[in-house]
Amino acid sequence: MTDLDTRCQRLIDDLGLDGALRSVTPLGGGVASDIAVLDLEERRICAKFALAKLKVMEDWFAPVHRNRAEYEWLRFAGTVVTGAVPGLHGWSAAENGFAMDFVEGREVYLWKEAMLRGEPVRGEAARVGDVLGRIHAASTASGFDDGPFHNRDDFHALRLEPYLIFTATQHPDLAERLNRLAKALFENRAVLIHGDVSPKNILMRGGDPVLLDAECATMGDPAFDVAFCLNHLILKSIHIPTRRNDLLEAIGGFWRAYAAQVVWEEASALEVRVCALLPALMLARVDGKSPVEYLSAVNRGAVRDLSRTLVTEPPTTLADMIGVLR
Ligand SMILES: Nc1ncnc2c1ncn2[C@@H]1O[C@H](COP(=O)(O)OP(=O)(O)O)[C@@H](O)[C@H]1O
Ligand SMILES: [Mg+2]
C-alpha cells in the first residue's frame, strides 16, 4: 500500500462510504494536490487531498486548509446550478480531503483537451460564462454565508504573487501597473470567486460544464475569474491558427452570457476591470511563475509584445480587445 492508498482508505472510513476499496489510481495533471480515482465495488469516485507544498516551484507554498474552501465552493456552486460540479460525498477534516463523483462517460471531455486537439468550438465558452455568472450572482444575495471564504491570503500566495507580483519583477517598466492590479484584486471582496477557472478544470458533460478545482476560492473580484478564463481562450487562439476566429468569437459568447447574470454592479464597470487584467494575465502566462506549456518560442514572443502594449493602454470593452487581437 502506498501512502496515497492508505490516505484514501482512511478517507472512505472517515466519511462512512460504502463498498470495499478495490484500487486507487492517481490522476495526473495537477500540481496543488493529490487526486485519485477510487474503485469501490459498485462505483468509482474521486478523492482529493491538499498538498502542503505545490509540486512545481520550490518556494510556492500555501496552507492546506484551502481543501476545505474547495469543498465549500463546490457545495455552494452545486446549490446554485444543478450539475455544475461533481456530486459530493463529504469532506474530512482529519484527512484534509474530500470525495466526489468521478465524472466520466461518452459525453464527457475536458475542455482544454478538446481545444488543444483543435476540435470544433461547440459553445462551451458561453455555457461556462452563464454558469459562472449565476454562481457569482448567487454569492451576492443576502444571506450568503461567506464564512469559509476569507481566503485572500491563500489567493495572494497562489494567484497574485506567482502571476502578477512576480511578473512585475520581470518587467520593471510595468511593475507599478501590475502591482496596482494585484493590490486592487486583494482589496476587493465583493463576490465569491473560484480562482482557477481554466479549461483544464472544466469538464463538459452533455454540453454543460462541470467545474472542478476550486482550491483558490475566496471572496474577491469577479473580474479575476472572467479574465482568467478568457486568457486561456486568447492563448489558445494564438496557439491554434485554424481555430483562431472561433476562439476569439467565443470570448464574446462568454461575455454576453456572463454579463446577463451581473446584478450586483454595472456589467460595463466589471468589463473595464476584466480588460485591464486580461493583458496582465497574458503576460503572466509567459513571464510569470506558471508559464503555459504549449506555446512556441515565437508565440511566446508575440504574446509578450501584445500584452505589454495592452497593459499600458488597455481597451475598455472586450469587443475592442478582440479587435486588437485580430
Ligand atoms: N471528479 C472528477 N471527475 C473526473 N475527472 C476529474 C475529477 N476531478 C478531477 N478530475 C481530473 O483530474 C484533473 C486534476 O484535478 P484537479 O481537481 O484539477 O486537481 P489539481 O488541483 O491537482 O489541478 C482534472 O483536470 C480532471 O481532468
Ligand atoms: Mg486542476
Side-chain angles (χ1 to χ4, degrees), residues 242-257:
T242 53
R243 295 293 173 210
R244 175 154 201 173
N245 280 328
D246 292 347
L247 289 169
L248 290 178
E249 220 152 82
I251 292 173
F254 179 110
W255 177 251
R256 281 186 296 277

Side-chain angles (χ1 to χ4, degrees), residues 29-31 33 48 196 200-201 212-213 215:
V31 292
S33 53
K48 186 167 180 182
D196 199 359
K200 78 174 185 324
N201 291 327
L212 307 168
D213 203 2
E215 288 174 290

Side-chain angles (χ1 to χ4, degrees), residues 174 177-178 181 276 279-280 283 306-314:
L174 301 180
R177 285 170 197 273
L178 296 171
L181 287 168
L283 187 59
L306 189 59
S307 57
R308 281 183 49 84
T309 307
L310 287 167
V311 166
T312 316
E313 280 182 56

Side-chain angles (χ1 to χ4, degrees), residues 182-244:
K183 187 160 182 283
L185 288 171
F186 188 68
E187 279 165 8
N188 187 332
R189 284 178 272 186
V191 172
L192 174 60
I193 66 171
H194 175 284
D196 199 359
V197 185
S198 155
K200 78 174 185 324
N201 291 327
I202 301 175
L203 293 164
M204 295 302 299
R205 171 171 60 186
D208 290 316
V210 180
L211 305 182
L212 307 168
D213 203 2
E215 288 174 290
C216 296
T218 185
M219 298 312 291
D221 184 348
F224 184 84
D225 276 351
V226 174
F228 199 82
C229 187
L230 296 183
N231 184 33
H232 284 273
L233 295 180
I234 291 173
L235 296 174
K236 262 100 183 162
S237 79
I238 290 167
H239 178 60
I240 308 161
T242 53
R243 295 293 173 210
R244 175 154 201 173

Side-chain angles (χ1 to χ4, degrees), residues 27-33 35 46 48 70 86 100-104 110 200-201 203 212-213 215:
L27 274 178
V31 292
S33 53
I35 176 156
C46 195
K48 186 167 180 182
E70 169 164 17
M100 60 187 148
D101 284 338
F102 182 61
V103 179
E104 58 184 338
L110 197 68
K200 78 174 185 324
N201 291 327
L203 293 164
L212 307 168
D213 203 2
E215 288 174 290

